[in-house]
Amino acid sequence: MKNSRKLLNKEISLAASPLSWLFISFALMTFIPGYPILVGAFFACFGVFQSFQSGRENNDILYTVLLPVKKTDAVKAKYRFTVMIQMIFFIISALLTLLRMIFLNKAGPYVENPMMNANQAYLAYLLLVFALFNTLFLCGFFKTAYKFGRPFVSFIVVSFIFILAAEVLHHIPECQFLNDTDTLCNTTMWGILAAAMAVYILFTAVSCRIAMKRFDRVDM
Amino acid sequence: MEKILSVKNIKKEYPKFTLDNISFEIEEGKIMGLIGRNGAGKTTTIKSILNLIHTSGGEIEYFGKSLAEHESEIKQQIGYAGGAVDYYKKKKIKKIISVTRKFYSGWDDAEYRKYLELFELDEDKTPSELSEGMKVKLNLTVALSHGAKLLILDEPTSGLDPVSRDELLEVFKLLAGKGVAILFSTHITSDLDKCADSITYIRKGQLQFTGSMSDYIEQCRREGIGETLEEIMIHYEKEDLHEKFA
Protein backbone atom coordinates (compact mmCIF):
# COMPACT_ATOMS: atom_id res chain seq x y z
CA MET A 1 0.00 0.00 0.00
CA LYS A 2 1.36 3.43 -0.91
CA ASN A 3 1.99 6.01 1.81
CA SER A 4 -0.73 8.25 0.39
CA ARG A 5 -3.34 5.48 0.85
CA LYS A 6 -2.03 4.60 4.29
CA LEU A 7 -2.28 8.25 5.30
CA LEU A 8 -5.81 8.56 3.95
CA ASN A 9 -6.68 5.44 5.93
CA LYS A 10 -5.15 7.06 9.02
CA GLU A 11 -7.22 10.21 8.42
CA ILE A 12 -10.41 8.16 8.14
CA SER A 13 -9.68 5.73 11.00
CA LEU A 14 -8.04 7.99 13.56
CA ALA A 15 -8.35 11.68 12.80
CA ALA A 16 -11.82 12.11 11.28
CA SER A 17 -14.68 13.37 13.38
CA PRO A 18 -18.00 11.50 12.88
CA LEU A 19 -19.50 14.90 12.07
CA SER A 20 -17.46 15.03 8.85
CA TRP A 21 -19.47 12.02 7.65
CA LEU A 22 -22.75 13.04 9.20
CA PHE A 23 -22.72 16.51 7.63
CA ILE A 24 -22.50 14.98 4.15
CA SER A 25 -26.23 14.37 4.64
CA PHE A 26 -26.75 18.11 4.15
CA ALA A 27 -26.47 17.27 0.45
CA LEU A 28 -30.13 16.26 0.79
CA MET A 29 -30.91 19.97 1.02
CA THR A 30 -30.66 19.90 -2.77
CA PHE A 31 -34.32 18.84 -2.76
CA ILE A 32 -35.61 21.67 -0.58
CA PRO A 33 -37.51 24.43 -2.39
CA GLY A 34 -37.67 27.94 -0.94
CA TYR A 35 -34.45 27.52 1.00
CA PRO A 36 -30.88 28.76 0.36
CA ILE A 37 -29.69 25.25 -0.50
CA LEU A 38 -26.11 26.36 -1.13
CA VAL A 39 -25.71 26.58 2.66
CA GLY A 40 -25.39 22.77 2.52
CA ALA A 41 -21.89 23.21 1.06
CA PHE A 42 -20.98 25.33 4.06
CA PHE A 43 -22.18 22.58 6.41
CA ALA A 44 -20.09 19.99 4.55
CA CYS A 45 -17.04 22.20 5.12
CA PHE A 46 -18.05 22.70 8.75
CA GLY A 47 -18.02 18.90 9.10
CA VAL A 48 -14.46 18.78 7.76
CA PHE A 49 -13.53 21.56 10.17
CA GLN A 50 -14.68 19.31 13.04
CA SER A 51 -12.05 16.76 11.97
CA PHE A 52 -9.36 19.43 12.16
CA GLN A 53 -10.57 20.35 15.64
CA SER A 54 -10.53 16.72 16.76
CA GLY A 55 -7.14 16.22 15.08
CA ARG A 56 -5.65 19.09 17.05
CA GLU A 57 -7.02 17.75 20.34
CA ASN A 58 -5.42 14.38 19.56
CA ASN A 59 -1.98 15.59 18.42
CA ASP A 60 -2.75 14.18 14.99
CA ILE A 61 -0.31 16.36 13.02
CA LEU A 62 2.60 15.52 15.33
CA TYR A 63 1.71 11.83 15.14
CA THR A 64 1.65 12.00 11.35
CA VAL A 65 5.00 13.73 10.92
CA LEU A 66 6.63 11.17 13.21
CA LEU A 67 5.47 8.34 10.94
CA PRO A 68 7.88 7.21 8.19
CA VAL A 69 6.55 9.73 5.69
CA LYS A 70 7.71 13.13 4.47
CA LYS A 71 6.64 16.00 6.70
CA THR A 72 4.68 17.58 3.84
CA ASP A 73 2.75 14.32 3.29
CA ALA A 74 0.72 15.34 6.35
CA VAL A 75 -0.63 18.28 4.32
CA LYS A 76 -1.44 16.13 1.30
CA ALA A 77 -3.32 13.68 3.56
CA LYS A 78 -5.52 16.46 4.97
CA TYR A 79 -6.23 17.75 1.45
CA ARG A 80 -7.06 14.24 0.22
CA PHE A 81 -9.46 13.67 3.09
CA THR A 82 -11.14 17.04 2.54
CA VAL A 83 -11.46 16.50 -1.21
CA MET A 84 -12.90 13.02 -0.56
CA ILE A 85 -15.64 14.42 1.72
CA GLN A 86 -16.33 17.25 -0.73
CA MET A 87 -16.55 14.87 -3.68
CA ILE A 88 -18.94 12.51 -1.86
CA PHE A 89 -21.11 15.54 -1.07
CA PHE A 90 -20.82 16.78 -4.66
CA ILE A 91 -21.71 13.40 -6.22
CA ILE A 92 -24.79 13.01 -3.99
CA SER A 93 -25.82 16.58 -4.81
CA ALA A 94 -25.19 15.98 -8.53
CA LEU A 95 -27.37 12.84 -8.53
CA LEU A 96 -30.17 14.63 -6.70
CA THR A 97 -29.83 17.59 -9.07
CA LEU A 98 -30.12 15.27 -12.07
CA LEU A 99 -33.26 13.77 -10.54
CA ARG A 100 -34.71 17.25 -10.17
CA MET A 101 -33.67 18.26 -13.69
CA ILE A 102 -35.04 15.11 -15.35
CA PHE A 103 -38.17 14.22 -13.37
CA LEU A 104 -39.10 17.33 -11.42
CA ASN A 105 -38.23 20.06 -13.93
CA LYS A 106 -41.87 21.11 -14.24
CA ALA A 107 -42.76 20.70 -10.55
CA GLY A 108 -44.54 23.80 -9.23
CA PRO A 109 -42.55 24.33 -6.01
CA TYR A 110 -39.33 24.37 -8.04
CA VAL A 111 -40.58 26.39 -11.02
CA GLU A 112 -41.94 29.07 -8.68
CA ASN A 113 -39.00 28.82 -6.28
CA PRO A 114 -37.78 32.32 -5.33
CA MET A 115 -34.58 30.83 -3.93
CA MET A 116 -31.84 28.93 -5.72
CA ASN A 117 -32.83 25.90 -7.78
CA ALA A 118 -30.71 22.80 -8.16
CA ASN A 119 -29.17 22.82 -11.63
CA GLN A 120 -25.68 22.98 -13.11
CA ALA A 121 -25.14 26.51 -11.75
CA TYR A 122 -25.94 25.26 -8.24
CA LEU A 123 -23.39 22.46 -8.63
CA ALA A 124 -20.87 25.01 -9.87
CA TYR A 125 -21.51 27.17 -6.79
CA LEU A 126 -20.97 24.13 -4.55
CA LEU A 127 -17.54 23.62 -6.08
CA LEU A 128 -16.70 27.28 -5.65
CA VAL A 129 -17.64 27.18 -1.93
CA PHE A 130 -15.39 24.12 -1.59
CA ALA A 131 -12.59 25.94 -3.43
CA LEU A 132 -12.96 28.82 -0.95
CA PHE A 133 -12.71 26.39 1.98
CA ASN A 134 -9.59 24.74 0.61
CA THR A 135 -7.95 28.07 -0.14
CA LEU A 136 -8.94 30.07 2.92
CA PHE A 137 -9.20 27.44 5.63
CA LEU A 138 -6.89 24.57 4.71
CA CYS A 139 -4.12 26.74 3.34
CA GLY A 140 -4.54 29.22 6.22
CA PHE A 141 -4.45 26.46 8.84
CA PHE A 142 -1.08 25.19 7.64
CA LYS A 143 0.57 28.55 8.36
CA THR A 144 0.80 27.27 11.95
CA ALA A 145 -0.72 23.75 11.77
CA TYR A 146 -2.33 24.70 15.07
CA LYS A 147 -4.41 27.89 14.90
CA PHE A 148 -7.61 27.44 12.94
CA GLY A 149 -9.83 30.24 14.31
CA ARG A 150 -8.84 33.00 11.91
CA PRO A 151 -8.77 30.83 8.75
CA PHE A 152 -12.21 29.42 9.57
CA VAL A 153 -13.74 32.81 10.38
CA SER A 154 -12.39 34.18 7.10
CA PHE A 155 -13.98 31.21 5.30
CA ILE A 156 -17.32 31.82 7.08
CA VAL A 157 -17.36 35.52 6.10
CA VAL A 158 -16.31 35.01 2.47
CA SER A 159 -18.49 31.95 1.89
CA PHE A 160 -21.61 33.66 3.25
CA ILE A 161 -20.97 36.71 1.09
CA PHE A 162 -20.58 34.32 -1.85
CA ILE A 163 -23.78 32.39 -0.99
CA LEU A 164 -25.69 35.67 -0.65
CA ALA A 165 -24.30 36.90 -4.00
CA ALA A 166 -25.25 33.61 -5.67
CA GLU A 167 -28.80 33.92 -4.32
CA VAL A 168 -29.04 37.54 -5.53
CA LEU A 169 -27.51 36.87 -8.94
CA HIS A 170 -30.45 34.96 -10.44
CA HIS A 171 -32.81 37.80 -9.54
CA ILE A 172 -30.97 40.09 -11.98
CA PRO A 173 -32.97 39.88 -15.26
CA GLU A 174 -29.90 39.10 -17.41
CA CYS A 175 -28.97 36.22 -15.11
CA GLN A 176 -32.40 34.66 -14.50
CA PHE A 177 -31.42 31.68 -16.67
CA LEU A 178 -29.10 30.61 -13.82
CA ASN A 179 -32.15 29.52 -11.85
CA ASP A 180 -33.99 27.64 -14.62
CA THR A 181 -35.23 24.18 -13.73
CA ASP A 182 -35.23 22.77 -17.26
CA THR A 183 -31.54 23.04 -18.19
CA LEU A 184 -30.57 19.46 -18.96
CA CYS A 185 -29.66 20.31 -22.56
CA ASN A 186 -28.37 23.81 -21.88
CA THR A 187 -24.72 23.90 -22.98
CA THR A 188 -24.09 27.27 -21.34
CA MET A 189 -25.05 25.76 -17.98
CA TRP A 190 -22.81 22.74 -18.52
CA GLY A 191 -20.04 25.18 -19.47
CA ILE A 192 -20.52 27.04 -16.19
CA LEU A 193 -20.20 23.75 -14.30
CA ALA A 194 -17.05 22.78 -16.23
CA ALA A 195 -15.50 26.19 -15.53
CA ALA A 196 -16.28 25.84 -11.81
CA MET A 197 -14.73 22.36 -11.78
CA ALA A 198 -11.58 23.82 -13.35
CA VAL A 199 -11.50 26.60 -10.72
CA TYR A 200 -11.97 24.03 -7.94
CA ILE A 201 -9.12 21.85 -9.20
CA LEU A 202 -6.84 24.84 -9.75
CA PHE A 203 -7.51 26.47 -6.36
CA THR A 204 -7.20 23.16 -4.51
CA ALA A 205 -3.95 22.19 -6.22
CA VAL A 206 -2.32 25.61 -5.86
CA SER A 207 -3.43 26.05 -2.24
CA CYS A 208 -2.13 22.55 -1.43
CA ARG A 209 1.29 23.48 -2.80
CA ILE A 210 1.32 26.73 -0.82
CA ALA A 211 0.15 24.87 2.33
CA MET A 212 2.98 22.34 1.92
CA LYS A 213 5.55 25.12 1.69
CA ARG A 214 4.04 26.88 4.70
CA PHE A 215 3.91 23.70 6.78
CA ASP A 216 7.48 22.84 5.90
CA ARG A 217 8.52 26.08 7.64
CA VAL A 218 6.50 25.36 10.79
CA ASP A 219 8.36 24.38 13.96
CA MET A 220 6.42 21.67 15.76
CA MET B 1 31.11 -0.04 14.20
CA GLU B 2 28.52 1.67 12.02
CA LYS B 3 27.83 5.31 12.77
CA ILE B 4 24.07 5.56 13.26
CA LEU B 5 23.59 9.25 13.96
CA SER B 6 25.94 12.13 13.38
CA VAL B 7 25.02 15.63 14.53
CA LYS B 8 27.39 18.45 13.60
CA ASN B 9 27.17 22.00 14.88
CA ILE B 10 23.40 22.30 14.96
CA LYS B 11 22.07 25.67 15.87
CA LYS B 12 18.58 26.91 16.66
CA GLU B 13 17.75 30.47 17.61
CA TYR B 14 14.67 31.52 19.55
CA PRO B 15 14.05 35.06 20.79
CA LYS B 16 15.16 34.16 24.33
CA PHE B 17 17.16 30.98 23.82
CA THR B 18 19.83 29.73 21.47
CA LEU B 19 20.94 26.19 20.97
CA ASP B 20 24.46 26.61 19.72
CA ASN B 21 26.90 24.29 17.99
CA ILE B 22 25.65 20.99 19.35
CA SER B 23 27.59 18.02 17.97
CA PHE B 24 27.62 14.34 18.86
CA GLU B 25 27.73 10.89 17.32
CA ILE B 26 26.14 7.56 18.19
CA GLU B 27 27.37 4.19 17.01
CA GLU B 28 25.37 0.99 16.75
CA GLY B 29 24.79 -0.84 20.01
CA LYS B 30 25.61 2.22 22.11
CA ILE B 31 23.45 4.04 24.64
CA MET B 32 23.86 7.79 24.89
CA GLY B 33 22.29 9.93 27.59
CA LEU B 34 21.36 13.48 26.66
CA ILE B 35 21.57 15.37 29.90
CA GLY B 36 21.06 18.88 31.13
CA ARG B 37 18.73 20.67 33.48
CA ASN B 38 15.21 21.72 32.53
CA GLY B 39 15.32 24.25 29.69
CA ALA B 40 18.94 23.46 28.77
CA GLY B 41 18.01 22.47 25.21
CA LYS B 42 17.56 18.69 25.33
CA THR B 43 14.11 18.64 23.75
CA THR B 44 15.14 21.30 21.20
CA THR B 45 18.06 19.06 20.25
CA ILE B 46 15.79 16.04 19.86
CA LYS B 47 13.23 18.02 17.86
CA SER B 48 16.04 19.28 15.61
CA ILE B 49 17.33 15.80 14.85
CA LEU B 50 13.78 14.61 14.12
CA ASN B 51 13.21 17.48 11.69
CA LEU B 52 10.33 18.74 13.83
CA ILE B 53 11.95 22.16 14.01
CA HIS B 54 14.22 23.99 11.61
CA THR B 55 17.80 24.50 12.59
CA SER B 56 19.61 27.62 11.48
CA GLY B 57 22.81 25.69 10.86
CA GLY B 58 24.54 22.36 11.12
CA GLU B 59 24.25 18.89 9.63
CA ILE B 60 22.29 15.82 10.70
CA GLU B 61 23.01 12.45 9.15
CA TYR B 62 21.50 9.04 9.87
CA PHE B 63 23.36 5.99 8.55
CA GLY B 64 25.51 8.41 6.53
CA LYS B 65 22.45 9.90 4.81
CA SER B 66 20.93 13.34 5.13
CA LEU B 67 17.55 13.39 6.87
CA ALA B 68 16.25 16.12 4.58
CA GLU B 69 16.82 13.98 1.47
CA HIS B 70 15.91 10.54 2.85
CA GLU B 71 13.25 11.42 5.39
CA SER B 72 10.77 8.54 5.06
CA GLU B 73 13.50 5.91 4.51
CA ILE B 74 15.34 7.05 7.66
CA LYS B 75 12.16 7.24 9.74
CA GLN B 76 11.55 3.54 8.98
CA GLN B 77 14.70 2.80 10.94
CA ILE B 78 14.24 5.06 13.92
CA GLY B 79 11.80 4.89 16.78
CA TYR B 80 10.74 7.91 18.78
CA ALA B 81 8.88 8.15 22.05
CA GLY B 82 8.25 11.53 23.56
CA GLY B 83 7.17 11.00 27.12
CA ALA B 84 3.49 11.04 28.02
CA VAL B 85 2.04 12.73 24.91
CA ASP B 86 -1.27 11.07 24.16
CA TYR B 87 -2.36 10.59 20.59
CA TYR B 88 -5.99 9.84 19.68
CA LYS B 89 -6.94 9.65 23.33
CA LYS B 90 -10.45 8.25 22.77
CA LYS B 91 -9.44 5.54 20.26
CA LYS B 92 -8.63 2.04 21.42
CA ILE B 93 -4.92 1.21 21.44
CA LYS B 94 -5.76 -1.76 19.20
CA LYS B 95 -7.19 0.63 16.59
CA ILE B 96 -4.25 3.05 16.76
CA ILE B 97 -1.77 0.20 16.34
CA SER B 98 -3.69 -1.41 13.46
CA VAL B 99 -3.27 1.85 11.52
CA THR B 100 0.29 2.60 12.65
CA ARG B 101 1.81 -0.82 11.90
CA LYS B 102 0.99 -0.49 8.19
CA PHE B 103 3.51 2.32 7.86
CA TYR B 104 6.45 0.20 9.03
CA SER B 105 7.90 -2.44 6.75
CA GLY B 106 9.80 -3.89 9.73
CA TRP B 107 6.83 -4.10 12.11
CA ASP B 108 7.19 -7.19 14.27
CA ASP B 109 3.93 -8.40 15.84
CA ALA B 110 5.73 -10.83 18.16
CA GLU B 111 7.89 -7.98 19.53
CA TYR B 112 4.78 -5.83 19.89
CA ARG B 113 2.99 -8.57 21.89
CA LYS B 114 6.12 -9.06 24.00
CA TYR B 115 6.28 -5.40 25.03
CA LEU B 116 2.51 -5.24 25.60
CA GLU B 117 2.93 -8.08 28.06
CA LEU B 118 6.11 -6.69 29.61
CA PHE B 119 4.55 -3.27 30.16
CA GLU B 120 1.16 -4.79 31.11
CA LEU B 121 -0.68 -2.71 28.53
CA ASP B 122 -4.29 -3.53 27.68
CA GLU B 123 -5.00 -3.10 23.95
CA ASP B 124 -8.70 -2.56 24.61
CA LYS B 125 -8.03 0.58 26.62
CA THR B 126 -7.83 4.06 25.17
CA PRO B 127 -4.85 6.39 25.87
CA SER B 128 -7.18 8.55 27.98
CA GLU B 129 -7.61 5.60 30.35
CA LEU B 130 -3.84 5.25 30.91
CA SER B 131 -1.78 6.86 33.64
CA GLU B 132 1.11 9.12 32.60
CA GLY B 133 3.59 6.30 33.14
CA MET B 134 1.52 3.87 31.06
CA LYS B 135 1.33 6.44 28.24
CA VAL B 136 5.13 6.53 28.20
CA LYS B 137 5.10 2.73 28.00
CA LEU B 138 2.63 2.78 25.12
CA ASN B 139 4.78 5.20 23.15
CA LEU B 140 7.82 3.06 23.89
CA THR B 141 6.01 -0.10 22.76
CA VAL B 142 5.32 1.46 19.37
CA ALA B 143 8.91 2.68 19.10
CA LEU B 144 10.27 -0.77 19.99
CA SER B 145 8.03 -2.83 17.69
CA HIS B 146 9.27 -1.96 14.23
CA GLY B 147 12.85 -3.08 14.31
CA ALA B 148 14.32 0.40 14.70
CA LYS B 149 18.11 0.66 14.56
CA LEU B 150 18.02 3.86 16.59
CA LEU B 151 15.67 4.81 19.41
CA ILE B 152 15.30 8.48 20.24
CA LEU B 153 13.53 8.87 23.55
CA ASP B 154 12.67 12.15 25.21
CA GLU B 155 12.50 11.70 28.98
CA PRO B 156 11.36 8.05 28.69
CA THR B 157 11.77 7.31 32.38
CA SER B 158 9.93 10.34 33.75
CA GLY B 159 6.62 9.32 35.30
CA LEU B 160 7.63 5.68 35.62
CA ASP B 161 7.70 3.89 38.96
CA PRO B 162 11.14 2.62 40.12
CA VAL B 163 10.41 -0.99 39.06
CA SER B 164 9.25 0.02 35.56
CA ARG B 165 12.24 2.34 35.24
CA ASP B 166 14.59 -0.44 36.12
CA GLU B 167 12.84 -2.80 33.69
CA LEU B 168 13.10 -0.22 30.94
CA LEU B 169 16.80 0.30 31.52
CA GLU B 170 17.26 -3.47 31.34
CA VAL B 171 15.37 -3.47 28.01
CA PHE B 172 17.71 -0.73 26.77
CA LYS B 173 20.74 -2.86 27.62
CA LEU B 174 19.25 -5.92 25.88
CA LEU B 175 18.46 -3.87 22.77
CA ALA B 176 21.94 -2.34 22.75
CA GLY B 177 23.30 -5.89 22.90
CA LYS B 178 21.39 -6.57 19.67
CA GLY B 179 23.01 -3.57 17.99
CA VAL B 180 20.28 -0.96 18.55
CA ALA B 181 21.59 2.53 19.29
CA ILE B 182 19.69 4.52 21.91
CA LEU B 183 19.65 8.24 22.55
CA PHE B 184 17.62 9.25 25.54
CA SER B 185 17.25 12.53 27.27
CA THR B 186 16.87 12.62 31.01
CA HIS B 187 17.56 14.69 34.04
CA ILE B 188 17.55 11.58 36.22
CA THR B 189 21.28 10.96 36.07
CA SER B 190 21.08 7.75 38.12
CA ASP B 191 19.37 6.14 35.07
CA LEU B 192 22.53 6.73 33.08
CA ASP B 193 24.77 5.14 35.70
CA LYS B 194 22.94 1.88 35.01
CA CYS B 195 23.17 1.73 31.24
CA ALA B 196 24.78 4.62 29.32
CA ASP B 197 28.03 4.29 27.39
CA SER B 198 28.30 7.96 26.56
CA ILE B 199 26.71 11.26 27.37
CA THR B 200 26.04 14.58 25.73
CA TYR B 201 25.73 17.29 28.34
CA ILE B 202 24.00 20.48 27.25
CA ARG B 203 24.14 23.51 29.44
CA LYS B 204 22.25 26.73 28.65
CA GLY B 205 22.06 25.71 24.99
CA GLN B 206 25.81 25.06 24.75
CA LEU B 207 27.61 21.76 24.45
CA GLN B 208 29.36 21.15 27.75
CA PHE B 209 30.63 17.68 26.91
CA THR B 210 30.10 14.79 24.52
CA GLY B 211 31.87 11.47 24.70
CA SER B 212 32.48 8.51 26.97
CA MET B 213 30.61 8.80 30.26
CA SER B 214 33.28 7.00 32.29
CA ASP B 215 36.03 9.24 30.85
CA TYR B 216 34.02 12.35 31.73
CA ILE B 217 33.38 11.23 35.28
CA GLU B 218 37.06 10.31 35.70
CA GLN B 219 38.15 13.69 34.33
CA CYS B 220 35.76 15.55 36.65
CA ARG B 221 36.81 13.41 39.60
CA ARG B 222 40.47 14.34 38.99
CA GLU B 223 39.54 18.03 38.80
CA GLY B 224 37.60 17.73 42.06
CA ILE B 225 34.30 18.63 40.41
CA GLY B 226 32.41 15.53 41.49
CA GLU B 227 32.34 11.77 41.73
CA THR B 228 29.01 11.16 39.97
CA LEU B 229 27.10 12.73 37.11
CA GLU B 230 24.65 14.21 39.58
CA GLU B 231 27.43 15.90 41.56
CA ILE B 232 29.03 17.16 38.34
CA MET B 233 25.76 18.62 37.05
CA ILE B 234 24.97 20.23 40.38
CA HIS B 235 28.48 21.72 40.49
CA TYR B 236 28.11 23.40 37.09
CA GLU B 237 24.52 24.49 37.51
CA LYS B 238 25.26 25.95 40.93
CA GLU B 239 28.02 28.04 39.36
CA ASP B 240 25.30 29.76 37.36
CA LEU B 241 23.25 30.37 40.47
CA HIS B 242 26.22 31.92 42.23
CA GLU B 243 27.00 34.09 39.18
CA LYS B 244 23.40 35.33 39.09
CA PHE B 245 23.41 36.33 42.76
CA ALA B 246 26.99 37.65 42.82
Side-chain angles (χ1 to χ4, degrees):
Chain A
M1 202 195 277
K2 281 186 177 175
N3 273 349
S4 56
R5 284 182 64 191
K6 290 178 200 165
L7 282 169
L8 184 58
N9 176 44
K10 187 221 62 135
E11 291 296 325
I12 294 167
S13 308
L14 299 179
S17 159
L19 292 177
S20 294
W21 303 106
L22 192 66
F23 281 21
I24 291 174
S25 61
F26 280 102
L28 296 173
M29 286 169 74
T30 304
F31 266 133
I32 306 174
Y35 189 83
I37 53 176
L38 195 51
V39 171
F42 171 80
F43 284 120
C45 295
F46 186 57
V48 174
F49 169 76
Q50 296 296 325
S51 286
F52 277 77
Q53 201 164 23
S54 129
R56 192 176 76 171
E57 284 165 10
N58 289 298
N59 297 304
D60 170 60
I61 297 278
L62 179 61
Y63 192 81
T64 310
V65 299
L66 289 169
L67 289 169
V69 295
K70 282 185 185 170
K71 184 180 175 185
T72 49
D73 287 346
V75 179
K76 285 187 197 166
K78 290 288 177 206
Y79 266 83
R80 282 197 182 100
F81 174 74
T82 305
V83 168
M84 182 187 71
I85 296 285
Q86 290 172 343
M87 285 302 102
I88 295 171
F89 185 95
F90 178 77
I91 289 166
I92 295 171
S93 303
L95 291 172
L96 298 178
T97 300
L98 278 174
L99 279 178
R100 275 186 61 166
M101 286 163 66
I102 296 167
F103 300 110
L104 300 164
N105 53 340
K106 307 280 190 228
Y110 295 141
V111 174
E112 288 156 26
N113 184 11
M115 306 300 279
M116 187 180 290
N117 271 321
N119 56 22
Q120 296 95 325
Y122 159 69
L123 296 175
Y125 294 145
L126 288 182
L127 291 171
L128 295 179
V129 172
F130 292 155
L132 285 174
F133 180 77
N134 298 352
T135 308
L136 295 172
F137 176 71
L138 285 188
C139 195
F141 170 75
F142 279 107
K143 261 186 193 171
T144 59
Y146 186 78
K147 293 179 185 170
F148 49 54
R150 190 178 288 185
F152 194 62
V153 168
S154 64
F155 165 68
I156 293 172
V157 172
V158 177
S159 64
F160 272 88
I161 291 170
F162 178 79
I163 291 167
L164 187 67
E167 280 290 352
V168 168
L169 197 61
H170 63 83
H171 291 286
I172 298 169
E174 291 79 10
C175 301
Q176 276 177 352
F177 71 97
L178 290 171
N179 215 34
D180 286 351
T181 52
D182 197 7
T183 57
L184 196 61
C185 301
N186 186 327
T187 48
T188 308
M189 293 293 268
W190 286 113
I192 288 169
L193 177 57
M197 181 58 88
V199 169
Y200 173 75
I201 293 169
L202 182 73
F203 274 54
T204 303
V206 171
S207 73
C208 183
R209 288 212 170 269
I210 295 169
M212 283 163 69
K213 280 185 189 163
R214 283 176 171 176
F215 182 56
D216 206 23
R217 289 195 292 264
V218 169
D219 281 348
M220 305 289 292
Chain B
M1 246 185 253
E2 190 192 357
K3 202 184 289 174
I4 301 285
L5 171 64
S6 166
V7 176
K8 283 181 197 157
N9 304 318
I10 57 165
K11 192 171 181 175
K12 175 69 186 173
E13 286 155 337
Y14 290 108
K16 289 185 177 175
F17 175 78
T18 301
L19 186 75
D20 200 12
N21 281 325
I22 302 297
S23 302
F24 57 89
E25 288 180 350
I26 308 175
E27 291 174 340
E28 67 173 304
K30 297 291 179 192
I31 300 175
M32 173 179 274
L34 186 60
I35 60 167
R37 65 182 303 179
N38 296 334
K42 301 188 295 293
T43 299
T44 304
T45 303
I46 285 183
K47 282 184 170 181
S48 301
I49 61 180
L50 287 167
N51 200 24
L52 293 178
I53 58 174
H54 290 82
T55 53
S56 42
E59 288 171 29
I60 299 157
E61 281 188 355
Y62 291 85
F63 316 103
K65 293 172 184 170
S66 147
L67 178 62
E69 287 161 26
H70 301 86
E71 191 175 354
S72 41
E73 180 194 335
I74 287 168
K75 283 177 175 175
Q76 282 284 351
Q77 300 179 70
I78 61 176
Y80 167 76
V85 180
D86 48 355
Y87 303 102
Y88 313 112
K89 41 188 172 258
K90 294 292 178 191
K91 300 278 180 191
K92 281 189 176 176
I93 292 170
K94 200 187 284 181
K95 179 80 178 167
I96 298 170
I97 298 300
S98 73
V99 173
T100 306
R101 56 184 295 187
K102 290 181 185 146
F103 286 89
Y104 293 99
S105 52
W107 184 271
D108 186 336
D109 240 0
E111 284 288 294
Y112 169 64
R113 298 274 154 217
K114 193 174 85 184
Y115 288 112
L116 273 187
E117 203 175 314
L118 176 71
F119 295 143
E120 294 173 346
L121 281 162
D122 180 356
E123 268 194 308
D124 287 318
K125 281 191 174 176
T126 64
S128 65
E129 293 169 325
L130 302 179
S131 67
E132 294 301 290
M134 292 304 274
K135 281 176 196 166
V136 174
K137 288 179 178 179
L138 172 62
N139 291 339
L140 278 168
T141 300
V142 177
L144 294 168
S145 300
H146 62 86
K149 289 183 181 169
L150 169 66
L151 294 176
I152 299 171
L153 312 167
D154 194 5
E155 311 266 1
T157 52
S158 62
L160 296 188
D161 62 80
V163 181
S164 298
R165 231 166 69 202
D166 198 62
E167 275 173 0
L168 187 64
L169 299 174
E170 281 300 316
V171 170
F172 287 175
K173 282 197 273 187
L174 287 171
L175 289 167
K178 290 179 185 172
V180 177
I182 297 168
L183 170 70
F184 78 101
S185 73
T186 185
H187 51 255
I188 309 169
T189 49
S190 57
D191 288 347
L192 300 174
D193 295 333
K194 291 176 186 166
C195 66
D197 300 294
S198 58
I199 56 160
T200 292
Y201 178 12
I202 299 173
R203 195 169 149 240
K204 292 194 289 185
Q206 306 276 329
L207 183 68
Q208 177 80 11
F209 176 82
T210 186
S212 157
M213 185 173 76
S214 51
D215 288 355
Y216 185 57
I217 293 173
E218 179 57 27
Q219 182 192 320
C220 291
R221 193 185 61 76
R222 279 201 306 269
E223 291 170 11
I225 292 168
E227 301 277 333
T228 63
L229 270 182
E230 189 171 326
E231 284 178 16
I232 294 163
M233 267 183 75
I234 289 170
H235 171 89
Y236 282 119
E237 305 303 338
K238 263 192 175 172
E239 266 184 3
D240 294 341
L241 186 74
H242 293 147
E243 274 170 24
K244 277 177 195 162
F245 284 94

